[in-house]
């Protein structure tokens, strides 16, 4: 079963987003996503400073099974990437909401966040997928 | 809702993630695919391969029939129980399927063919069997377990009735034995030692439970794919299909050219292909970070492009490896196009891994 932290926002593409105190956001993929992908073996990260559009390709996560795009859940600039995933992509499997974070972004001014979901709405989406 | 094997409930019990595979609901993994993979390389794992199609053939002219139907020559197999790997070709020399044929006697053979190709295989076999008056019987009432790994035979031996056990443990690679209600073959698709066990569907769940209780790891199709890739064993539909000849898929060794007067389906176009030459079929190791996947483009400077037919991450080597069809020529280095970036690959002699040991330089 997926375990959904209550302080995050979610996308229908199974990314999560956490709003940090300094106004930046941290982004990763959900427990549901890592479980569906299986053991991760490689993560392709964006460059720091790279500007991303909403739903633009942000990273690629590759598991033993498949490659999957990770999309930017909000428009903005990449301010940090999780370099540790280079040597240990399985951090995403073992701790998707913590050590397995992927990118930190500074959202663009007035960035559209209307499609982000609350934990309850995302849980409803997962329930629908299970049904 | 797909077809279900007799072990479907057992898979759910073991926590399987189930996917569609050729119309069957099959476990892709039960937890960590990498752990399943390592269990087979280091200890023992069990795969439900009951979706595969078992076909028994009987008839006075059965041997003649198979010498015509198959690209390898069943007349080379004379020891009862001996198995042979072969392709079944169409009239253009393309591969309808790859399969294992077991010899019992010249009037009696067993074929094990792929699940996804079941219908076209059966239609083809039945169509050509008629002229030889050979009886074709699909054995859908049987289940099949592949128990693989260095400890596999020891841990599976208690499933065999004691009066046959010693004989079963003495089986040489690529031989088989009727052991009461079980059919035991020392074959597999992982590059490890082990057995494939055919048994009545009703007995399969109990056999599964006993193997798991003995410490054998349940393994899904995911691990089966990475294991066979490391062993450089072809996968039908990826590495070859109806449009690809065995000579273009690294399977020239399975074609019996001698005796030259043996007429088999596809022989003529295959001989023409042999004369004319064609692409190489090679093993690749990615020198960079990333993952090789099927259909990625291989670029060989001055010679043209090739394509990966099977690729993935090797849990044993901890590098990405692949099988690929590439332009003819004498070279060791090439590039692969991964999402627009050209990365270095090196051609290596396969298998990549065999019996737990890495066989390539890394």
């Amino acid at each position: 079963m997926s375990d959904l932290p209550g302080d995050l926002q979610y996308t229908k593409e199974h990314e999560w987003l956490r709003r940090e105190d300094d106004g930046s956001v941290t982004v990763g993929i959900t427990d549901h996503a890592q479980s569906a992908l299986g053991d991760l073996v490689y993560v392709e990260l964006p460059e720091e400073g790279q500007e991303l559009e909403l739903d633009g390709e942000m990273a690629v996560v590759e598991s033993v099974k498949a490659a999957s795009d990770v999309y930017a859940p909000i428009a903005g600039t990449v301010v940090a990437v999780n370099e540790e995933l280079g040597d240990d992509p399985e951090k995403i499997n073992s701790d998707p909401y913590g050590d397995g974070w992927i990118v930190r972004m500074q959202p663009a001014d007035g960035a559209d966040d209307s499609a982000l979901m609350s934990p309850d709405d995302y849980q409803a989406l997962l329930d629908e997928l299970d049904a | 809702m797909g077809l279900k094997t007799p072990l479907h409930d057992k898979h759910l019990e073991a926590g399987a993630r189930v996917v569609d595979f050729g119309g069957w609901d099959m476990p892709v993994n039960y937890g960590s695919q990498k752990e399943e993979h390592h269990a087979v390389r280091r200890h023992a794992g069990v795969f439900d391969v009951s979706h595969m199609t078992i076909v028994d053939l009987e008839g006075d002219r059965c041997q003649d029939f198979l010498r015509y139907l198959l690209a390898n020559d069943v007349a080379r197999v004379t020891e009862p129980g001996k198995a042979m790997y072969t392709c079944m070709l169409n009239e253009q020399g393309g591969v309808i399927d790859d399969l294992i044929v077991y010899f019992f006697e010249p009037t009696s053979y067993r074929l094990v063919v792929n699940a996804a190709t079941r219908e076209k295989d059966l239609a083809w076999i039945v169509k050509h069997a008629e002229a030889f008056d050979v009886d074709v019987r699909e054995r859908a009432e049987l289940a099949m377990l592949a128990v693989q790994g260095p400890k596999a035979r020891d841990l599976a031996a208690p499933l065999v009735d004691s009066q046959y056990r010693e004989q079963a443990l003495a089986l040489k690679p690529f031989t088989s034995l009727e052991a009461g209600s079980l059919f035991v073959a020392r074959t597999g698709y992982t590059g490890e030692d082990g057995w494939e066990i055919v048994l009545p569907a009703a007995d399969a769940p109990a056999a599964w439970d006993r193997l798991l209780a003995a410490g054998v790891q349940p393994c899904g199709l995911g691990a089966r794919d990475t294991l066979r890739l490391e062993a450089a064993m072809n996968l039908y539909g990826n590495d070859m299909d109806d449009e690809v000849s065995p000579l273009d898929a690294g399977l020239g060794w399975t074609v019996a050219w001698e005796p030259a007067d043996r007429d088999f389906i596809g022989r003529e176009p295959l001989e023409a292909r042999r004369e004319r030459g064609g692409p190489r079929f090679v093993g690749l190791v990615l020198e960079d970070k990333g993952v090789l996947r099927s259909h990625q483009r291989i670029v060989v400077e001055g010679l043209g492009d090739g394509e990966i037919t099977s690729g993935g991450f090797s849990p044993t080597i901890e590098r990405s490896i692949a099988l690929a069809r590439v332009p003819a020529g004498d070279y060791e280095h090439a590039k692969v196009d991964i999402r627009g970036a050209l990365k270095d690959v090196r051609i290596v002699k396969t298998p990549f891994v065999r019996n737990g040991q890495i066989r390539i330089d890394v």
Side-chain angles (χ1 to χ4, degrees):
Chain A
M1 267 335 304
S2 290
D3 160 36
L4 288 186
D7 58 336
L8 305 181
Q9 290 176 291
Y10 299 87
T11 72
K12 63 179 190 333
E13 301 288 348
H14 309 286
E15 288 105 12
W16 57 262
L17 176 151
R18 185 171 56 233
R19 296 189 183 273
E20 307 294 349
D21 293 340
D22 63 0
S24 68
V25 297
T26 304
V27 178
I29 64 171
T30 67
D31 190 46
H32 170 87
Q34 70 77 20
S35 166
L37 280 163
D39 300 327
L40 288 175
V41 294
Y42 177 65
V43 182
E44 196 171 282
L45 296 164
E47 303 281 331
E48 278 179 35
Q50 194 173 326
E51 293 195 9
L52 298 169
E53 290 173 25
L54 174 64
D55 296 333
E57 279 179 28
M58 184 179 79
V60 180
V61 288
E62 299 214 30
S63 74
V64 281
K65 279 184 258 175
S68 180
D69 289 323
V70 182
Y71 303 102
I74 196 162
T77 308
V78 176
V79 294
V81 297
N82 187 354
E83 302 282 2
E84 288 186 28
L85 298 178
D87 288 330
D88 197 0
E90 288 197 31
K91 279 185 195 294
I92 292 177
N93 293 118
S94 57
D95 193 7
Y97 302 114
D99 288 346
W101 68 277
I102 298 174
V103 166
R104 185 160 314 126
M105 296 170 64
Q106 186 62 47
D109 289 341
D112 178 7
D113 62 0
S114 57
L116 293 173
M117 289 188 267
S118 70
D120 284 349
D121 289 348
Y122 182 61
Q123 185 61 56
L125 175 74
L126 294 181
D127 293 345
E128 217 170 282
L129 292 174
D130 275 346
Chain B
M1 294 290 279
L3 299 163
K4 291 176 175 50
T5 78
L7 291 166
H8 187 74
D9 289 345
K10 290 292 165 193
H11 299 321
L12 298 180
E13 229 173 76
R17 177 178 289 272
V18 173
V19 297
D20 172 71
F21 182 82
W24 291 80
D25 286 347
M26 296 301 290
V28 63
N29 60 274
Y30 299 84
S32 164
Q33 181 178 322
K34 278 166 84 174
E35 276 168 31
E36 293 169 22
H37 180 107
H38 291 316
V40 171
R41 289 272 176 255
R42 296 165 187 169
H43 185 67
V46 57
F47 303 82
D48 177 14
V49 286
S50 303
H51 60 308
M52 295 192 76
T53 304
I54 301 171
V55 184
D56 285 345
L57 303 174
E58 303 265 354
D60 288 344
R61 297 181 63 205
C62 204
Q63 189 190 67
D64 290 343
F65 168 55
L66 291 175
R67 293 190 77 200
Y68 174 67
L69 185 76
L70 304 173
N72 212 336
D73 187 357
V74 295
R76 292 181 177 187
V77 175
T78 53
E79 183 195 340
K82 183 85 181 160
M84 177 183 248
Y85 175 69
T86 179
C87 291
M88 179 165 75
L89 306 181
N90 57 32
E91 267 127 17
Q92 293 73 45
V95 182
I96 294 175
D97 201 6
D98 63 333
L99 57 95
I100 302 243
V101 52
Y102 294 94
F103 166 70
F104 301 133
E105 47 189 316
T107 57
S108 171
Y109 289 83
R110 166 169 288 178
L111 310 181
V112 179
V113 307
N114 283 303
T117 50
R118 173 185 169 275
E119 276 176 44
K120 70 164 182 171
D121 287 6
L122 284 172
W124 185 258
I125 293 165
V126 166
K127 174 181 159 189
H128 291 284
E130 205 171 323
F132 292 84
D133 206 17
V134 166
D135 180 53
V136 180
R137 188 153 67 107
E138 184 187 3
R139 302 296 301 274
E141 77 283 13
L142 298 175
M144 181 151 64
L145 296 174
V147 192
Q148 302 278 296
K151 297 274 185 271
R153 292 187 303 139
D154 283 347
L155 295 173
L159 297 180
V160 181
D161 195 278
S162 57
Q163 61 173 311
Y164 302 107
R165 201 172 295 155
E166 203 176 320
Q167 226 184 323
L169 285 167
L171 282 173
K172 295 194 184 76
F174 251 65
T175 61
S176 68
L177 172 74
E178 288 281 0
S181 62
L182 264 55
F183 172 78
V184 180
R186 195 168 171 195
T187 50
Y189 192 48
T190 60
E192 294 299 321
D193 196 3
W195 282 344
E196 290 178 301
I197 302 173
V198 175
L199 70 176
D203 298 344
W208 176 268
D209 284 343
R210 286 180 70 183
L211 289 167
L212 265 55
V216 178
Q217 166 75 46
C219 297
L221 293 177
R224 190 167 162 81
D225 191 49
T226 50
L227 287 158
R228 71 93 197 168
L229 179 61
E230 286 185 347
M233 292 173 167
N234 288 27
L235 173 61
Y236 189 81
N238 271 43
D239 303 303
M240 69 289 194
D241 58 34
D242 297 280
E243 309 287 320
V244 174
S245 92
L247 303 186
D248 297 312
L251 297 176
W253 61 277
T254 71
V255 178
W257 301 103
E258 300 294 333
D261 63 355
R262 180 176 69 100
D263 177 32
F264 63 85
I265 301 172
R267 176 162 195 142
E268 227 173 277
L270 210 58
E271 281 183 346
R273 156 63 182 82
R274 184 172 60 159
E275 288 301 310
R276 159 176 99 235
R280 294 169 74 185
F281 189 78
V282 297
L284 299 176
V285 180
L286 181 62
E287 304 277 38
D288 253 313
K289 290 211 166 192
V291 185
L292 301 173
R293 304 280 183 190
S294 49
H295 305 304
Q296 283 171 353
R297 187 169 63 104
I298 300 297
V299 181
V300 187
E301 213 184 303
L303 291 174
D305 290 353
E307 187 176 293
I308 289 178
T309 54
S310 287
F313 183 80
S314 159
T316 305
I317 307 172
E318 297 190 308
R319 295 271 289 273
S320 186
I321 58 172
L323 299 173
R325 234 183 316 280
V326 297
D330 186 21
Y331 55 92
E332 198 191 338
H333 297 278
K335 304 271 188 191
V336 58
D337 181 344
I338 302 182
R339 292 183 287 275
L342 291 180
K343 299 188 173 190
D344 291 320
V345 287
R346 176 164 49 93
I347 293 174
V348 294
K349 195 169 177 302
T350 57
F352 303 93
V353 179
R354 185 89 193 175
N355 293 326
Q357 300 301 311
I358 297 173
R359 299 278 291 269
I360 61 165
D361 292 327
V362 283

